[in-house]
Amino acid sequence: MDEIERIRLAYEKRDADLAYRARYTYTNPLNLFSIQQHERALLLALAELGITELRDQRVLDVGCGTGAGLRNFLRYGARPENLTGVDLMPHRIEQARRDLPTEVQLIAQDAQSLPLRDQSCDVVCQFVVFSSILDSDIRRRVAAEMLRCLKPTGTIVWWDMLPIPSPIRAYHRIIARLRSVRRITRHPDLLWRKLRNRGQRSLVTAVAKKPDLMALHAISIAEVEELFPDCVYQHHSMLPWLGLTE
């Protein structure tokens, strides 16, 4: 089984798992908190980069899923004809087509070869995509395509998982033994990096520490910098928030 097929099967299994899907509903307080923190940090970071008016910004969402990120950009003021979403899973793209305006371009295909012109996008996003890719060569090819599509002064928005430091893993093991709860869920610790150098590409990053939900490849800061060597970085962090769920 090749890596692309493995990813397809993994996402099909997740989409069919009702308990897994329930973790990501708006009625789950931890998920709602995550969504709100994500949006707040994203908008503040874009504003500090001078991106306060999205009407004329061309936005690409790599791994757009059912279009949640694209719907957010519409709320932020982007025009539907300037939005493009790419996802590996055809059924997710079909759901996005039902929920989004027809002017939004939606493409079901592998992100290793994006059907967009060079330097055609102002903002290129990926939200928890790279941690699902275990093959390092594929990660590099997807990153290279994101950079190819990005304008020389454009911005990459990255939100993904960071390896959990061993003291935190030990803390979770101790609490798990002491608490009579089925699962301890730690809300992602967001590490945002706001980037700006006039005339250079920017990378805005939110890194969520890896929860113990499934086997994924947690992306280190060093790996992000290696994947996007043309970007400039400025780091900003937020403190973790811990919570318990039944």
Side-chain angles (χ1 to χ4, degrees), residues 16-37:
D17 186 340
L18 295 179
Y20 179 82
R21 286 160 51 188
R23 295 189 184 108
Y24 297 97
T25 62
Y26 284 96
T27 53
N28 180 346
L30 291 175
N31 185 55
L32 181 60
F33 182 88
S34 174
I35 291 168
Q36 293 168 340
Q37 289 294 312

Side-chain angles (χ1 to χ4, degrees), residues 40-84:
R40 179 180 181 276
L42 171 60
L43 290 171
L44 288 175
L46 291 177
E48 292 196 17
L49 291 171
I51 306 174
T52 56
E53 176 56 68
L54 289 168
R55 179 177 174 80
D56 296 321
Q57 297 281 309
R58 300 193 66 85
V59 178
L60 167 64
D61 188 356
V62 176
C64 66
T66 58
L70 295 171
R71 290 194 295 274
N72 286 339
F73 274 102
L74 286 173
R75 289 196 296 111
Y76 305 156
R79 292 187 297 181
E81 61 268 28
N82 287 338
L83 298 180
T84 300

Side-chain angles (χ1 to χ4, degrees), residues 212-232:
D212 296 327
L213 300 180
M214 63 192 66
L216 298 170
H217 176 74
I219 307 291
S220 69
I221 297 299
E223 285 180 273
V224 176
E225 294 177 349
E226 182 181 351
L227 288 168
F228 299 98
D230 295 336
C231 297
V232 291

Side-chain angles (χ1 to χ4, degrees), residues 1-21 65-66 87-93 108 132 214 216:
M1 181 188 305
D2 67 16
E3 175 67 357
I4 299 303
E5 182 61 19
R6 185 200 63 79
I7 294 170
R8 283 197 182 98
L9 291 175
Y11 274 94
E12 286 174 0
K13 183 176 180 180
R14 294 174 198 176
D15 289 346
D17 186 340
L18 295 179
Y20 179 82
R21 286 160 51 188
T66 58
D87 198 88
L88 181 65
M89 307 301 291
H91 70 276
R92 291 188 171 195
I93 288 292
S132 296
M214 63 192 66
L216 298 170

